[in-house]
């Protein structure tokens, strides 16, 4: 699974950047088509939910999705054989 920020729903409140325990969100620098600066995913492979959800069969964190007032953050299934980066932290 991977995280996706829906550019059409996000209003740029940046609550996700404040609550993520893994610091995978950063404040954006470019305007979207609505003129809103949307947060960007910085190193989304650090998200334990994305890496381990299939192994455990459930969401492990989900704080960013819970705090998003516009429901602009969601997890989507990756396509089969889609290249993905995995980070192992000690």
């Amino acid at each position: 699974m991977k995280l996706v920020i829906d550019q059409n729903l996000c209003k740029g409140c940046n609550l996700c950047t404040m609550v993520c325990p893994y610091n995978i969100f950063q404040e954006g620098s470019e305007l979207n088509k609505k003129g809103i600066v949307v947060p960007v995913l910085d190193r989304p492979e650090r998200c334990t939910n994305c890496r381990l959800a299939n192994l455990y069969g459930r969401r492990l964190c989900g704080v960013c999705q819970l705090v998003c007032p516009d429901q602009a953050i969601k997890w989507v299934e990756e396509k089969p054989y889609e290249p993905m980066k995995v980070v192992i932290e000690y």
Side-chain angles (χ1 to χ4, degrees):
M1 297 186 76
K2 65 180 179 179
L3 272 175
V4 175
I5 300 174
D6 189 338
Q7 301 279 329
N8 295 322
L9 295 177
C10 181
K11 66 179 177 188
C13 67
N14 287 311
L15 288 175
C16 53
T17 62
M18 294 182 245
V19 299
C20 179
Y22 304 105
N23 298 319
I24 64 167
F25 296 94
Q26 280 189 344
E27 292 184 22
S29 57
E30 297 181 14
L31 298 174
N32 67 3
K33 61 184 175 184
K34 290 183 176 180
I36 297 170
V37 179
V38 177
V40 294
L41 294 170
D42 176 45
R43 298 184 298 162
E45 63 274 1
R46 294 189 67 197
C47 179
T48 56
N49 187 66
C50 295
R51 289 186 288 157
L52 303 173
N54 289 337
L55 179 66
Y56 289 100
R58 61 185 172 90
R59 285 212 175 106
L60 301 176
C61 180
V63 175
C64 58
Q65 187 179 30
L66 289 172
V67 78
C68 182
D70 301 311
Q71 298 177 352
I73 299 173
K74 59 185 170 187
W75 283 275
V76 295
E77 290 290 331
E78 295 177 86
K79 298 174 186 168
Y81 307 109
E82 182 177 349
M84 67 179 188
K85 184 176 178 183
V86 176
V87 173
I88 299 172
E89 297 178 11
Y90 297 98

